[in-house]
Amino acid sequence: MANGVWHTGYGIAINLSLPDLGHPGRPDLLREITARVADRDPQLLECLAHHDGRECLSETGGKSPWMFIRRGRVGGRRPLVVSHLPITHKATPAEGEAHKATKERIVETASRCGLDAEAEVPTANRRSITDALVTGPGDIRIGWEIQYHHLSPSSVHRRSVNAVQHDITPCGWPRTAQPP
């Protein structure tokens, strides 16, 4: 879909080229998705490419996967178009160091307990990397992702699904308030 967005709350793709957005049973959808970002969850609308696990050029250019809807200008028409929100959180040096230390602590602790553990393990398709991967009895693989900033429920769900698709049991993505 060339002009669309993923609604994380409803779990639906929205086609902005259609008058009913592809969902005739949701008459308030247009009002909901065109609300100011300050008046709604900023992670309500997600880039379709990002949601589908594909590369998005805007994201590689420094934008977030989260979107907002605006009116464009094409000739005399004003169609709905999607735009990426800017990245609002960049890891501070302290968060970067704490992230690294937490990964190392997980790997060291697992190793002391006789488990195989590695940091920065790419998935089979090399599209994502698990911060720490611990392999336990019966070849159960547990993936750890360390977070020092807010992570939306939809992001946790997407990351968990991705982990399971690669035979990794997600340990959850703990948000750590203070560096270890």
Side-chain angles (χ1 to χ4, degrees), residues 52-64:
D52 293 338
R54 294 180 282 123
E55 182 177 52
C56 174
L57 294 178
S58 293
E59 283 182 75
T60 57
K63 298 286 186 167
S64 79

Side-chain angles (χ1 to χ4, degrees), residues 18 24-25 28 31 55 58 77 85 87 97 116 120-121 142 152 169 179:
L18 299 174
D28 292 332
R31 182 180 48 74
E55 182 177 52
S58 293
R77 296 184 14 244
L85 289 168
I87 292 177
E97 288 302 313
D116 290 327
E120 298 292 323
V121 179
I142 301 171
S152 73
T169 302

Side-chain angles (χ1 to χ4, degrees), residues 106-107 110 116-122 130-135 141-144 167-169:
I106 290 168
V107 170
D116 290 327
E118 294 179 77
E120 298 292 323
V121 179
T130 301
D131 282 338
L133 183 66
V134 177
T135 305
R141 296 166 15 123
I142 301 171
W144 293 75
D167 297 320
I168 297 171
T169 302

Side-chain angles (χ1 to χ4, degrees), residues 69-82:
I69 309 293
R70 62 181 176 80
R71 290 274 178 190
R73 292 186 191 271
V74 178
R77 296 184 14 244
R78 304 257 343 228
L80 294 172
V81 294
V82 295

